[in-house]
Amino acid sequence: MEKTFVMIKPDAVQRGLIGEIISRFERRGIKIAAMKFMRVPHELAEEHYEALKSKPFYSDLVTYITSGPVVAMVLEGTNVIKVARSTMGVTNPADALSGTIRADFALEIGRNVVHGSDSEENALKEITLWFGENVTDWQRNVDKWIFE
Ligand code: DAT
Ligand code: MG
């Protein structure tokens, strides 16, 4: 079963959207494998967004992500990397499809409320960076009604 790293960003936490966002993943059938509420240390933010270091918006991005607590999660399910991102919507909320998290709760690219890993390689990297070995392997009783 595939796993991905998802983060509820500081704007969503401040706006009281944690429950709403987690509900959307839960209702879709996605399983939670790890979760923590935390302030992001500067070095962790820099490492997380290392691939974007040369971008003009990089320092704003690091400031944003360290500006308040976040909820970091590992989610699990069939094709969950792709499915979590489609539940979130595209990067710029202005272009996101109605019904996605970013379209329903955000307006601007620099306040787009959630993060989700974009590939198997990055999912593995981000899960290790944020959680190390602290990911819970468990069976849900409803799994047989969600996974074929
Ligand atoms: P995503 O978060 O959809 O995977 P990304 O990895 O390309 O998008 O970028 C990471 C974050 O950086 C994104 O959520 C918001 C910010 N960002 C991306 N492109 C941007 C841009 N052109 N201007 C400002 N912020 C941007
Ligand atoms: Mg990305």
Side-chain angles (χ1 to χ4, degrees):
M1 196 62 64
E2 196 170 271
K3 290 189 181 74
T4 192
F5 173 74
V6 166
M7 172 178 30
I8 301 176
K9 293 177 175 178
D11 48 340
V13 172
Q14 294 286 351
R15 294 170 58 200
L17 297 173
I18 295 172
E20 176 72 45
I21 290 170
I22 292 172
S23 285
R24 288 178 176 223
F25 293 115
E26 274 193 309
R27 290 194 310 235
R28 189 139 187 202
I30 293 171
K31 243 166 105 171
I32 297 165
M35 186 181 297
K36 57 186 174 184
F37 182 82
M38 61 184 284
R39 191 72 183 251
V40 184
H42 195 83
E43 314 78 69
L44 176 58
E46 288 196 323
E47 202 168 341
H48 176 78
Y49 281 124
E50 191 175 358
L52 300 174
K53 205 158 195 157
S54 62
K55 303 283 184 187
F57 55 84
Y58 172 77
S59 72
D60 285 347
L61 186 56
V62 170
T63 302
Y64 164 45
I65 229 67
T66 55
S67 64
V70 303
V71 177
M73 298 178 272
V74 176
L75 300 183
E76 187 174 1
T78 319
N79 297 314
V80 75
I81 296 168
K82 177 176 148 192
V83 164
R85 280 176 70 88
S86 67
T87 302
M88 287 168 27
V90 296
T91 309
N92 190 343
D95 299 325
L97 291 177
S98 181
T100 63
I101 293 168
R102 283 165 168 168
D104 291 353
F105 301 115
L107 290 170
E108 297 188 18
I109 197 166
R111 298 288 184 273
N112 64 0
V113 301
V114 278
H115 164 84
S117 308
D118 64 5
S119 64
E120 265 182 61
E121 187 193 342
N122 285 332
L124 189 61
K125 212 150 94 180
E126 292 170 7
I127 290 167
T128 305
L129 177 67
W130 289 77
F131 287 95
E133 298 294 303
N134 298 316
V135 176
T136 303
D137 191 20
W138 63 295
Q139 297 299 313
R140 267 186 322 194
N141 288 335
V142 296
D143 279 353
K144 67 171 189 270
W145 301 106
I146 297 169
F147 306 134
E148 255 190 288

